Amino acid sequence: MALTAIVAGGAGFLGSHLCDRLLSEGRNVICVDDLSTGSEENVAHLASESRFELLRHDILVPLRIKADEVYNLACPASPPKYQLDPIRTTQVCVMGTNNLLELARHNDALFFQASTSEVYGDPDVHPQPESYRGCVNPIGIRACYDEGKRCAETLCFDYHRFHKLDVRVVRIFNTYGPRMAADDGRVVTNFINQALKGEGITIYGDGSQTRSFCYVDDLIDAFRLFASARPGFHGPLNTGNPEEYTMIELASLVIELTGSSSKLVYRDLPQDDPQQRCPEINLAKEKFGWSPRIGMRDGLQRTIEHFKSLPNRPLGY
Ligand code: NAD
Ligand code: UDP
């Protein structure tokens, strides 16, 4: 019989791509989402699929349905979005994850947790290996997400030790691609939409801070390799593309690829904005032979085409 996977946050950017992949592999998929930062639009193409169901539900409310696998991607991911209601963000990370862990425990299901490179905070080790314990400001404006996700990891590993739950924890580094919300405020969506509209490209700070960007298809490959591997390795596993760019370099590339006449405009750097971030992915290579295949030019071009194809291109954040 086909396995049933719950994808919490399945109407979001990453979650909708994961739903596609799981369906293509023959699973039944229940997408559990409160549609707070995701949208029905992201899964509209699955509406006629009999093995797919969209369940509008807030993971802060306990859920009891049958499942063989539970994927937890339910959480706002963009700094402006997760800072809008920071108390709720912490609650979703901690209590929401706890509710889904309970759901997995009742079903004896596999539990897959979307953690984040933000657990490393503003890192003083570069690039960041999984063994690095991070440098997070616990009382800053990013803490609701960073500390929330760190506590969610703690819960996962305690459920594993205490309840013998089969958990798999990925630490996702900045990932981009089609179906990101155009107005979500993250750098790739802001720059592309600003460039397509000929508006100023907003550089926060002096633009020398770095990020390493992974195209969504590569990330979903890593998810599936990790989730379908035999039990025994629970992570955490870094997933990301180690190609590192300053924000100035990213802006130049977006301007070049869109052929835009936009100019750079400078804005204040938000508090606690990490100065550098790059994944060390040796573990993913060793365990699963995984490394990203899609380079930045190719991935950005695909993402630009996606935003160009939208009927009403919304403004950047
Ligand atoms: P997204 O905002 O597009 O998706 C998040 C989804 O979760 C949305 O559909 C939203 O409606 C849903 N959601 C939020 N709170 C919920 C709740 N209480 N109950 C039910 N659903 C809820 O963001 P994304 O980029 O797709 O991120 C998905 C996951 O991956 C998040 O957990 C995020 O922390 C993690 N992550 C993403 C990145 C990245 O670069 N995209 C990096 C690190 C970690
Ligand atoms: N950033 C920027 N201009 C923008 C949006 C973001 O310069 O319009 C910067 C931001 O300050 C950060 C980097 O881009 O240094 C990545 O920001 P994003 O919000 O995408 O992700 P995160 O900070 O969580 O990595």
Side-chain angles (χ1 to χ4, degrees):
M1 216 172 65
L3 296 178
T4 297
I6 290 176
V7 181
F13 160 50
L14 297 180
S16 63
H17 286 276
L18 180 60
C19 289
D20 288 348
R21 184 68 67 90
L22 291 169
L23 285 165
S24 77
E25 291 176 9
R27 280 173 175 63
N28 300 313
V29 173
I30 305 173
C31 165
V32 172
D33 203 298
D34 69 352
L35 303 180
S36 50
T37 57
S39 77
E40 263 184 283
E41 197 59 15
N42 282 341
V43 288
H45 60 290
L46 302 176
S48 60
E49 169 60 71
S50 61
R51 287 180 294 110
F52 179 78
E53 184 188 338
L54 171 59
L55 180 63
R56 191 166 183 168
H57 177 86
D58 180 349
I59 62 162
L60 284 178
V61 179
L63 183 65
R64 284 288 172 274
I65 45 179
K66 284 202 178 307
D68 302 289
E69 299 174 340
V70 178
Y71 293 82
N72 180 20
L73 287 80
C75 184
S78 151
K81 296 285 180 189
Y82 68 63
Q83 287 161 17
L84 272 179
D85 189 345
I87 295 170
R88 182 177 159 82
T89 297
T90 302
Q91 290 171 340
V92 169
C93 287
V94 180
M95 286 139 71
T97 299
N98 197 59
N99 285 337
L100 294 177
L101 281 162
E102 278 297 304
L103 172 63
R105 186 167 79 88
H106 279 273
N107 281 287
D108 196 19
L110 178 137
F111 186 85
F112 187 93
Q113 170 69 4
S115 189
T116 170
S117 55
E118 288 284 321
V119 299
Y120 301 124
D122 191 1
D124 44 20
V125 168
H126 195 72
Q128 295 83 53
E130 289 85 350
S131 56
Y132 175 53
R133 292 186 183 178
C135 180
V136 173
N137 173 3
I139 57 168
I141 58 171
R142 295 177 83 101
C144 56
Y145 183 75
D146 300 8
E147 296 289 14
K149 288 283 189 177
R150 286 169 70 96
C151 188
E153 287 198 9
T154 306
L155 279 169
C156 288
F157 282 92
D158 281 331
Y159 265 76
H160 170 61
R161 281 185 288 259
F162 201 75
H163 294 303
K164 309 281 176 263
L165 194 70
D166 185 359
V167 300
R168 319 265 168 126
V169 177
V170 273
R171 290 181 179 158
I172 307 166
F173 285 66
N174 299 60
T175 301
Y176 68 100
R179 300 193 201 142
M180 291 181 90
D183 65 348
D184 83 354
R186 286 182 272 190
V187 71
V188 171
T189 38
N190 274 9
F191 284 7
I192 290 178
N193 285 286
Q194 288 161 346
L196 289 176
K197 289 174 182 301
E199 295 171 351
I201 306 276
T202 51
I203 304 285
Y204 300 165
D206 65 6
S208 65
Q209 70 272 37
T210 69
R211 294 293 187 274
S212 309
F213 298 97
C214 185
Y215 188 70
V216 59
D217 291 0
D218 282 329
L219 185 84
I220 301 296
D221 286 345
F223 279 15
R224 293 303 303 133
L225 285 166
F226 187 16
S228 56
R230 277 190 304 203
F233 174 63
H234 303 281
L237 182 77
N238 282 348
T239 48
N241 189 325
E243 274 182 44
E244 191 177 355
Y245 291 82
T246 67
M247 295 310 102
I248 298 278
E249 288 167 343
L250 175 66
S252 308
L253 192 52
V254 168
I255 289 172
E256 179 198 325
L257 293 175
T258 51
S260 174
S261 57
S262 290
K263 302 281 177 262
L264 306 189
V265 294
Y266 289 82
R267 301 279 180 263
D268 289 344
L269 187 69
Q271 187 197 333
D272 291 339
D273 198 281
Q275 184 55 34
Q276 52 184 5
R277 185 182 294 147
C278 180
E280 219 251 56
I281 58 166
N282 289 342
L283 193 57
K285 283 183 187 160
E286 281 164 23
K287 291 270 177 202
F288 306 113
W290 177 85
S291 54
R293 288 185 289 204
I294 299 166
M296 194 66 177
R297 278 181 173 271
D298 186 8
L300 274 180
Q301 199 65 66
R302 297 183 199 193
T303 311
I304 290 165
E305 290 312 315
H306 164 76
F307 282 112
K308 275 186 178 170
S309 73
L310 297 180
N312 299 308
R313 281 185 227 144
L315 287 171
Y317 198 80

